[in-house]
Tab-separated table of all heavy atoms in Angstrom:
chain	number	residue	atom	x	y	z
A	1474	ASP	N	0.121	10.714	-3.345
A	1474	ASP	CA	0.564	12.005	-2.756
A	1474	ASP	C	1.374	12.820	-3.738
A	1474	ASP	O	1.200	14.004	-3.869
A	1474	ASP	CB	1.393	11.690	-1.488
A	1474	ASP	CG	0.562	11.814	-0.265
A	1474	ASP	OD1	-0.671	11.937	-0.387
A	1474	ASP	OD2	1.111	11.765	0.837
A	1477	VAL	N	-0.857	14.216	-6.529
A	1477	VAL	CA	-1.706	15.360	-6.117
A	1477	VAL	C	-0.947	16.673	-6.222
A	1477	VAL	O	-1.474	17.701	-6.611
A	1477	VAL	CB	-2.240	15.139	-4.662
A	1477	VAL	CG1	-2.852	16.420	-4.125
A	1477	VAL	CG2	-3.230	14.034	-4.622
A	1531	ASP	N	-14.713	12.192	19.068
A	1531	ASP	CA	-15.826	13.062	19.452
A	1531	ASP	C	-16.406	13.673	18.151
A	1531	ASP	O	-15.607	14.350	17.391
A	1531	ASP	CB	-15.347	14.104	20.389
A	1531	ASP	CG	-16.400	15.178	20.660
A	1531	ASP	OD1	-17.565	14.806	20.875
A	1531	ASP	OD2	-16.060	16.385	20.613
A	1534	LEU	N	-15.465	17.448	17.661
A	1534	LEU	CA	-14.121	17.672	17.198
A	1534	LEU	C	-13.931	17.172	15.764
A	1534	LEU	O	-13.181	17.849	15.004
A	1534	LEU	CB	-13.134	16.917	18.139
A	1534	LEU	CG	-12.958	17.510	19.530
A	1534	LEU	CD1	-12.043	16.606	20.336
A	1534	LEU	CD2	-12.376	18.915	19.393
A	1541	PHE	N	-12.319	22.316	8.677
A	1541	PHE	CA	-11.025	22.916	8.332
A	1541	PHE	C	-10.380	22.244	7.149
A	1541	PHE	O	-9.871	22.908	6.281
A	1541	PHE	CB	-10.098	22.813	9.566
A	1541	PHE	CG	-8.774	23.403	9.348
A	1541	PHE	CD1	-8.557	24.745	9.525
A	1541	PHE	CD2	-7.665	22.629	8.915
A	1541	PHE	CE1	-7.322	25.328	9.310
A	1541	PHE	CE2	-6.437	23.207	8.703
A	1541	PHE	CZ	-6.255	24.536	8.903
A	1547	GLU	N	-9.381	12.733	3.696
A	1547	GLU	CA	-8.189	13.291	4.342
A	1547	GLU	C	-8.413	13.552	5.852
A	1547	GLU	O	-7.523	13.276	6.652
A	1547	GLU	CB	-7.778	14.587	3.634
A	1547	GLU	CG	-6.496	15.144	4.233
A	1547	GLU	CD	-5.720	16.077	3.362
A	1547	GLU	OE1	-6.293	16.601	2.416
A	1547	GLU	OE2	-4.525	16.249	3.634
A	1553	TRP	N	-7.739	9.684	12.537
A	1553	TRP	CA	-7.967	8.308	13.068
A	1553	TRP	C	-6.919	8.031	14.191
A	1553	TRP	O	-5.744	8.100	13.939
A	1553	TRP	CB	-7.786	7.330	11.936
A	1553	TRP	CG	-8.201	5.935	12.290
A	1553	TRP	CD1	-7.451	4.926	12.777
A	1553	TRP	CD2	-9.553	5.419	12.275
A	1553	TRP	NE1	-8.198	3.791	13.022
A	1553	TRP	CE2	-9.497	4.066	12.752
A	1553	TRP	CE3	-10.768	5.932	11.952
A	1553	TRP	CZ2	-10.646	3.257	12.830
A	1553	TRP	CZ3	-11.922	5.157	12.083
A	1553	TRP	CH2	-11.831	3.824	12.503
A	1598	SER	N	-1.176	7.580	8.336
A	1598	SER	CA	-2.148	8.494	7.788
A	1598	SER	C	-2.105	8.562	6.242
A	1598	SER	O	-3.112	8.596	5.592
A	1598	SER	CB	-1.973	9.879	8.378
A	1598	SER	OG	-0.920	10.537	7.865
A	1884	ARG	N	-1.062	33.370	-8.900
A	1884	ARG	CA	0.215	32.790	-9.204
A	1884	ARG	C	0.052	31.382	-9.868
A	1884	ARG	O	-0.914	30.703	-9.537
A	1884	ARG	CB	1.060	32.576	-7.938
A	1884	ARG	CG	1.894	33.805	-7.653
A	1884	ARG	CD	2.940	33.473	-6.598
A	1884	ARG	NE	2.343	33.323	-5.321
A	1884	ARG	CZ	2.514	32.257	-4.569
A	1884	ARG	NH1	3.266	31.233	-4.983
A	1884	ARG	NH2	1.963	32.138	-3.396
A	1888	LYS	N	6.823	25.781	-13.123
A	1888	LYS	CA	7.748	26.797	-13.597
A	1888	LYS	C	7.161	28.189	-13.505
A	1888	LYS	O	7.911	29.169	-13.544
A	1888	LYS	CB	8.078	26.511	-15.095
A	1888	LYS	CG	9.019	25.354	-15.270
A	1888	LYS	CD	9.595	25.374	-16.676
A	1888	LYS	CE	10.325	24.096	-17.010
A	1888	LYS	NZ	11.243	23.664	-15.969
A	1891	SER	N	6.541	31.634	-9.744
A	1891	SER	CA	6.911	32.971	-9.335
A	1891	SER	C	6.229	34.018	-10.185
A	1891	SER	O	6.524	35.164	-10.101
A	1891	SER	CB	8.420	33.091	-9.332
A	1891	SER	OG	8.895	33.047	-10.655
A	1892	PHE	N	5.384	33.610	-11.121
A	1892	PHE	CA	4.691	34.534	-11.970
A	1892	PHE	C	3.201	34.582	-11.673
A	1892	PHE	O	2.581	33.576	-11.396
A	1892	PHE	CB	4.780	34.139	-13.455
A	1892	PHE	CG	6.206	34.264	-14.017
A	1892	PHE	CD1	7.050	33.208	-14.118
A	1892	PHE	CD2	6.595	35.524	-14.492
A	1892	PHE	CE1	8.344	33.371	-14.620
A	1892	PHE	CE2	7.866	35.677	-14.999
A	1892	PHE	CZ	8.731	34.595	-15.062
A	1929	ASP	N	3.096	40.303	-15.376
A	1929	ASP	CA	3.512	40.016	-13.967
A	1929	ASP	C	4.017	41.330	-13.320
A	1929	ASP	O	3.659	41.587	-12.179
A	1929	ASP	CB	4.658	38.990	-14.015
A	1929	ASP	CG	5.148	38.651	-12.664
A	1929	ASP	OD1	4.453	37.858	-11.946
A	1929	ASP	OD2	6.213	39.138	-12.236
A	1933	ARG	N	2.294	43.198	-10.068
A	1933	ARG	CA	3.024	43.543	-8.843
A	1933	ARG	C	3.044	45.004	-8.554
A	1933	ARG	O	2.980	45.448	-7.398
A	1933	ARG	CB	4.479	42.992	-8.935
A	1933	ARG	CG	4.548	41.493	-8.883
A	1933	ARG	CD	5.943	41.002	-9.238
A	1933	ARG	NE	5.930	39.550	-9.415
A	1933	ARG	CZ	5.968	38.644	-8.441
A	1933	ARG	NH1	6.100	39.014	-7.198
A	1933	ARG	NH2	5.961	37.367	-8.716
B	1385	PHE	N	-4.046	17.478	13.398
B	1385	PHE	CA	-2.670	17.909	13.359
B	1385	PHE	C	-1.840	17.061	14.281
B	1385	PHE	O	-1.913	17.136	15.523
B	1385	PHE	CB	-2.459	19.381	13.766
B	1385	PHE	CG	-3.037	20.312	12.662
B	1385	PHE	CD1	-4.148	21.031	12.890
B	1385	PHE	CD2	-2.360	20.365	11.448
B	1385	PHE	CE1	-4.656	21.861	11.882
B	1385	PHE	CE2	-2.853	21.189	10.458
B	1385	PHE	CZ	-4.016	21.961	10.686
B	1386	ARG	N	-1.063	16.108	13.656
B	1386	ARG	CA	-0.154	15.310	14.443
B	1386	ARG	C	1.142	15.319	13.656
B	1386	ARG	O	1.276	14.683	12.624
B	1386	ARG	CB	-0.745	13.901	14.591
B	1386	ARG	CG	-2.080	13.955	15.314
B	1386	ARG	CD	-2.807	12.681	15.146
B	1386	ARG	NE	-2.547	11.745	16.228
B	1386	ARG	CZ	-2.825	10.450	16.189
B	1386	ARG	NH1	-3.408	9.969	15.144
B	1386	ARG	NH2	-2.596	9.662	17.223
B	1484	ALA	N	7.411	33.221	-4.101
B	1484	ALA	CA	6.396	33.725	-5.019
B	1484	ALA	C	6.955	34.908	-5.772
B	1484	ALA	O	6.308	35.534	-6.607
B	1484	ALA	CB	5.182	34.157	-4.258
B	1485	ASP	N	8.178	35.293	-5.474
B	1485	ASP	CA	8.705	36.535	-5.925
B	1485	ASP	C	9.652	36.320	-7.125
B	1485	ASP	O	10.086	35.220	-7.381
B	1485	ASP	CB	9.448	37.159	-4.785
B	1485	ASP	CG	9.276	38.655	-4.775
B	1485	ASP	OD1	9.160	39.207	-5.866
B	1485	ASP	OD2	9.344	39.253	-3.712
B	1486	ARG	N	9.966	37.413	-7.751
B	1486	ARG	CA	10.895	37.347	-8.887
B	1486	ARG	C	12.246	36.763	-8.502
B	1486	ARG	O	12.957	36.182	-9.301
B	1486	ARG	CB	11.059	38.678	-9.458
B	1486	ARG	CG	9.897	39.090	-10.373
B	1486	ARG	CD	9.869	40.542	-10.793
B	1486	ARG	NE	9.310	41.315	-9.714
B	1486	ARG	CZ	8.838	42.528	-9.891
B	1486	ARG	NH1	8.955	43.099	-11.056
B	1486	ARG	NH2	8.334	43.187	-8.887
B	1489	ARG	N	13.263	33.221	-9.590
B	1489	ARG	CA	13.459	32.854	-10.973
B	1489	ARG	C	14.935	32.538	-11.322
B	1489	ARG	O	15.193	32.071	-12.388
B	1489	ARG	CB	12.939	33.967	-11.907
B	1489	ARG	CG	11.490	34.079	-11.861
B	1489	ARG	CD	10.946	35.187	-12.707
B	1489	ARG	NE	9.632	35.580	-12.195
B	1489	ARG	CZ	9.114	36.711	-12.487
B	1489	ARG	NH1	9.710	37.606	-13.278
B	1489	ARG	NH2	7.943	37.047	-12.032
B	1493	ASP	N	15.173	24.817	-12.514
B	1493	ASP	CA	14.103	23.839	-12.277
B	1493	ASP	C	13.740	23.720	-10.818
B	1493	ASP	O	13.779	22.630	-10.244
B	1493	ASP	CB	14.551	22.449	-12.753
B	1493	ASP	CG	14.234	22.247	-14.222
B	1493	ASP	OD1	13.300	22.906	-14.718
B	1493	ASP	OD2	14.960	21.475	-14.903
B	1502	TRP	N	1.326	23.435	8.664
B	1502	TRP	CA	0.150	23.457	7.812
B	1502	TRP	C	0.270	22.460	6.669
B	1502	TRP	O	-0.718	22.093	6.031
B	1502	TRP	CB	-0.088	24.852	7.198
B	1502	TRP	CG	-0.343	25.878	8.235
B	1502	TRP	CD1	0.505	26.919	8.544
B	1502	TRP	CD2	-1.432	25.924	9.132
B	1502	TRP	NE1	-0.052	27.598	9.574
B	1502	TRP	CE2	-1.226	27.057	9.956
B	1502	TRP	CE3	-2.569	25.180	9.289
B	1502	TRP	CZ2	-2.108	27.416	10.948
B	1502	TRP	CZ3	-3.448	25.538	10.291
B	1502	TRP	CH2	-3.237	26.623	11.110
B	1504	ARG	N	0.639	19.530	6.735
B	1504	ARG	CA	-0.097	18.293	7.021
B	1504	ARG	C	-1.287	18.097	6.123
B	1504	ARG	O	-1.704	17.025	5.771
B	1504	ARG	CB	-0.490	18.319	8.502
B	1504	ARG	CG	-1.243	17.135	8.998
B	1504	ARG	CD	-0.313	16.134	9.573
B	1504	ARG	NE	0.007	15.090	8.605
B	1504	ARG	CZ	0.667	13.984	8.860
B	1504	ARG	NH1	1.174	13.773	10.071
B	1504	ARG	NH2	0.869	13.070	7.938
B	1506	ARG	N	-3.085	18.343	2.739
B	1506	ARG	CA	-2.685	18.301	1.327
B	1506	ARG	C	-3.194	19.550	0.540
B	1506	ARG	O	-2.489	20.112	-0.265
B	1506	ARG	CB	-3.225	17.069	0.588
B	1506	ARG	CG	-2.490	15.832	0.882
B	1506	ARG	CD	-3.159	14.635	0.277
B	1506	ARG	NE	-2.517	13.428	0.735
B	1506	ARG	CZ	-2.722	12.918	1.953
B	1506	ARG	NH1	-3.495	13.505	2.828
B	1506	ARG	NH2	-2.051	11.817	2.326
B	1508	ARG	N	-3.841	22.493	1.571
B	1508	ARG	CA	-3.042	23.665	1.897
B	1508	ARG	C	-1.818	23.695	1.043
B	1508	ARG	O	-1.378	24.744	0.523
B	1508	ARG	CB	-2.654	23.634	3.377
B	1508	ARG	CG	-3.752	23.938	4.280
B	1508	ARG	CD	-4.018	25.430	4.293
B	1508	ARG	NE	-5.173	25.793	5.045
B	1508	ARG	CZ	-5.158	26.673	6.076
B	1508	ARG	NH1	-4.030	27.286	6.388
B	1508	ARG	NH2	-6.259	26.900	6.677
B	1510	LYS	N	-1.276	22.167	-1.753
B	1510	LYS	CA	-1.637	22.314	-3.173
B	1510	LYS	C	-1.965	23.777	-3.532
B	1510	LYS	O	-1.476	24.269	-4.501
B	1510	LYS	CB	-2.863	21.405	-3.463
B	1510	LYS	CG	-2.968	21.040	-4.932
B	1510	LYS	CD	-4.145	20.061	-5.063
B	1510	LYS	CE	-4.616	20.009	-6.515
B	1510	LYS	NZ	-3.685	19.340	-7.414
B	1550	ALA	N	-11.931	24.074	19.349
B	1550	ALA	CA	-11.710	22.654	19.428
B	1550	ALA	C	-10.982	22.265	20.726
B	1550	ALA	O	-11.319	21.288	21.380
B	1550	ALA	CB	-10.921	22.161	18.212
B	1553	ARG	N	-13.404	22.546	23.576
B	1553	ARG	CA	-14.259	21.391	23.563
B	1553	ARG	C	-13.544	20.178	24.155
B	1553	ARG	O	-14.151	19.458	24.947
B	1553	ARG	CB	-14.616	21.079	22.066
B	1553	ARG	CG	-15.272	19.716	21.843
B	1553	ARG	CD	-16.642	19.628	22.308
B	1553	ARG	NE	-17.216	18.278	22.146
B	1553	ARG	CZ	-18.427	17.916	22.590
B	1553	ARG	NH1	-19.201	18.822	23.196
B	1553	ARG	NH2	-18.858	16.695	22.396
B	1557	LEU	N	-14.689	17.968	27.488
B	1557	LEU	CA	-14.817	16.512	27.484
B	1557	LEU	C	-13.998	15.886	28.565
B	1557	LEU	O	-14.308	14.830	29.040
B	1557	LEU	CB	-14.406	15.946	26.116
B	1557	LEU	CG	-15.295	16.224	24.916
B	1557	LEU	CD1	-14.647	15.726	23.643
B	1557	LEU	CD2	-16.645	15.560	25.095
Side-chain angles (χ1 to χ4, degrees):
Chain A
D1474 264 7
V1477 168
D1531 172 46
L1534 287 176
F1541 181 84
E1547 181 157 22
W1553 191 265
S1598 75
R1884 272 193 288 125
K1888 285 196 191 312
S1891 68
F1892 289 97
D1929 180 78
R1933 290 170 191 276
Chain B
F1385 289 111
R1386 300 165 91 195
D1485 217 329
R1486 280 168 279 198
R1489 290 179 204 162
D1493 274 333
W1502 299 113
R1504 180 91 263 189
R1506 283 174 188 76
R1508 285 282 173 125
K1510 202 175 162 71
R1553 167 73 183 176
L1557 292 172

